[in-house]
Amino acid sequence: ILCCIDGPDQIDRRNSAGLITAFEYSCLGCNGWVLVVKTMNLSDPAAPGRQLQELARQATNVFVIDKLFDAARMDALMDLADIYASPHSFDAAGVAIARAMSMAKPVVATDFGGSRDFLDSTCGYPVPYVLRSWAWAQVHHRQGGVWAEVDIAALAGALRTAAGRIVIGDRSIGEAARERAQRCFSPRAVGESMQHAVAGLLGI
């Protein structure tokens, strides 16, 4: 199971701690599954990165890769994964989710943010959440906004379900994810979407 975050400023946004907790609750680590959290620059700032690494050390079969990878190595890492997980609290576009889907990876993700436009139960595992008030300012977020708090028990259950289907050789969700990604994000689909958007702006 793979989760990717770009750096320490995304630890809260991507809810890495929640994912580790849910992975522990799922007991998948005791059954041979491994959770990999790929990030970089955890030493800057130090505190959030140290906390994440300590949480990973205390869990079973959870590993943090804190290195800068080029695109080829990231593709290779994604290719090794059986499941991609994104229990995000905020995700504007869902680019990493779409990338995983395009590689036929079943995705377990918070049913919130940009991913709602293309991820549903026919091609992935959307997980319920509750909205919380965003009461303090942070980079890229306005004070007074909202934050999605994923249901940890439901997240653990979704991870177990996804893993169970992989174990029995059922790759249908991953294939459906790839088909959805091709339909939504192929050059032709994006071009047609842009044409419609421009036509709407011009009123034609």
Side-chain angles (χ1 to χ4, degrees):
I1 302 173
L2 175 66
C3 174
C4 298
I5 60 177
D6 291 337
D9 61 317
Q10 290 197 356
I11 289 176
D12 288 334
R13 284 182 57 189
R14 297 294 175 88
N15 194 16
S16 306
L19 176 58
I20 293 173
T21 300
F23 183 75
E24 284 281 89
Y25 285 170
S26 75
C27 297
L28 290 174
C30 297
N31 291 304
W33 281 82
V34 171
L35 171 63
V36 174
V37 180
K38 167 64 183 72
T39 185
M40 58 185 179
N41 299 326
L42 287 187
S43 60
D44 183 25
R50 282 201 309 267
Q51 292 167 0
L52 179 64
Q53 289 173 319
E54 181 59 29
L55 186 61
R57 278 193 292 269
Q58 294 174 2
T60 302
N61 276 0
V62 177
F63 300 93
V64 176
I65 300 176
D66 184 32
K67 293 182 179 179
L68 177 63
F69 281 9
D70 59 20
R73 293 188 73 185
M74 285 301 301
D75 284 344
L77 182 63
M78 183 71 78
D79 190 52
L80 288 171
D82 291 294
I83 298 166
Y84 186 79
S86 179
H88 52 271
S89 297
F90 178 89
D91 200 330
V95 173
I97 294 171
R99 183 161 165 263
M101 291 173 65
S102 72
M103 297 178 69
K105 305 301 176 181
V107 175
V108 176
T110 310
D111 191 23
F112 180 76
S115 62
R116 293 199 67 184
D117 291 338
F118 51 87
L119 179 71
D120 57 37
S121 60
T122 67
C123 60
Y125 301 90
V127 183
Y129 64 92
V130 293
L131 284 179
R132 301 296 187 193
S133 174
W134 183 245
W136 63 95
Q138 185 174 338
V139 177
H140 307 308
H141 303 290
R142 293 183 179 180
Q143 189 170 4
V146 293
W147 202 250
E149 184 177 300
V150 73
D151 184 322
I152 295 295
L155 176 58
L159 291 172
R160 281 194 300 268
T161 299
R165 296 182 77 164
I166 293 295
V167 167
I168 64 174
D170 182 353
R171 299 277 176 171
S172 59
I173 290 293
E175 290 302 322
R178 175 156 52 192
E179 291 174 9
R180 178 67 60 85
Q182 289 173 345
R183 189 162 67 247
C184 292
F185 305 117
S186 68
R188 179 175 180 176
V190 172
E192 290 176 351
S193 179
M194 293 174 66
Q195 283 184 321
H196 288 314
V198 171
L201 289 171
L202 297 177
I204 58 175

